[in-house]
Amino acid sequence: MIGRLNHVGVATPSIEASVALYRDMLGATKIGTPFDMPAQGVRVCFVDLPNSQIELIEPLGDASPIHGFLAKNPKGGQHHVCFEVEEILAARDELRAKGATILGTGEPRIGAHGTPILFIHPKDMGGVLIELMESPKGEGH
Ligand SMILES: CC[C@@H](C(=O)O)C(=O)SCCNC(=O)CCNC(=O)[C@H](O)C(C)(C)COP(=O)(O)OP(=O)(O)OC[C@H]1O[C@@H](n2cnc3c(N)ncnc32)[C@H](O)[C@@H]1OP(=O)(O)O
Ligand SMILES: [Co+2]
């Protein structure tokens, strides 16, 4: 089921401050323009790497799912890892059959790459919040 590592999600109280870190400390040159995803409750900015992406996420709105994480980690930190899968509904059903908790309604939502995404509760994955993302068509692993 598991495919390519698509991105590592990094929660931050300030995308602007995090962009400065990745640019000035690590020398990142391919940094996108931040954009809002109200349905996901986050503001997003991608840092492109040769083999993957860092997804900087800042809370957006009172119901943002990352408020709790930032309350525990006020300076931010590594929040989730995202793996591509070929068929998101098949992956969800297989995971559920294995006892995993799919977060939210369990129905995929459209993520920042324009394809359906789901999250697996960290309690079922050794303390790591896992995002599954359907591979963009034609880019299957
Ligand atoms: C940009 C769009 C999209 C994309 O296309 O890539 C995204 O990535 S959106 C990213 C943000 N969205 C989400 O994270 C949605 C799924 N997340 C959730 O539903 C919640 O955040 C959560 C994982 C259920 C946590 O909810 P919260 O209310 O903050 O915490 P709890 O108190 O319920 O926590 C229970 C338990 O889990 C631990 N925890 C919380 N967050 C994480 C985390 N990111 N990584 C690892 N562990 C986490 C928390 O510490 C609690 O542990 P215990 O205290 O030991 O019970
Ligand atoms: Co993500």
Side-chain angles (χ1 to χ4, degrees):
M1 173 207 307
I2 189 172
R4 289 186 296 205
L5 171 69
N6 183 274
H7 63 265
V8 175
V10 173
T12 172
S14 165
I15 280 182
E16 185 186 13
S18 290
V19 162
L21 277 180
Y22 280 82
R23 184 188 59 224
D24 300 338
M25 298 286 278
L26 293 177
T29 54
K30 296 181 179 172
I31 300 175
T33 302
F35 58 98
D36 291 352
M37 294 204 72
Q40 307 283 355
V42 290
R43 183 163 174 75
V44 189
C45 182
F46 284 110
V47 178
D48 288 344
L49 309 176
N51 62 343
S52 195
Q53 289 180 308
I54 299 298
E55 180 183 77
L56 300 172
I57 49 174
E58 181 185 298
L60 180 70
D62 293 340
S64 174
I66 67 172
H67 279 311
F69 182 90
L70 285 173
K72 287 185 181 173
N73 306 277
K75 292 183 176 176
Q78 184 180 319
H79 182 262
H80 65 270
V81 293
C82 176
F83 300 112
E84 296 184 13
V85 295
E86 286 187 358
E87 299 286 346
I88 195 99
L89 294 178
R92 176 195 65 186
D93 294 346
E94 182 179 337
L95 285 158
R96 276 184 169 155
K98 292 175 178 172
T101 303
I102 306 299
L103 288 164
T105 64
E107 290 308 309
R109 295 201 286 187
I110 299 301
H113 295 81
T115 70
I117 61 170
L118 288 172
F119 288 86
I120 310 171
H121 200 290
K123 73 180 170 63
D124 297 326
M125 284 302 302
V128 178
L129 176 60
I130 302 286
E131 176 183 349
L132 296 180
M133 164 191 153
E134 193 160 278
S135 308
K137 293 300 174 212
E139 295 180 22
H141 47 279

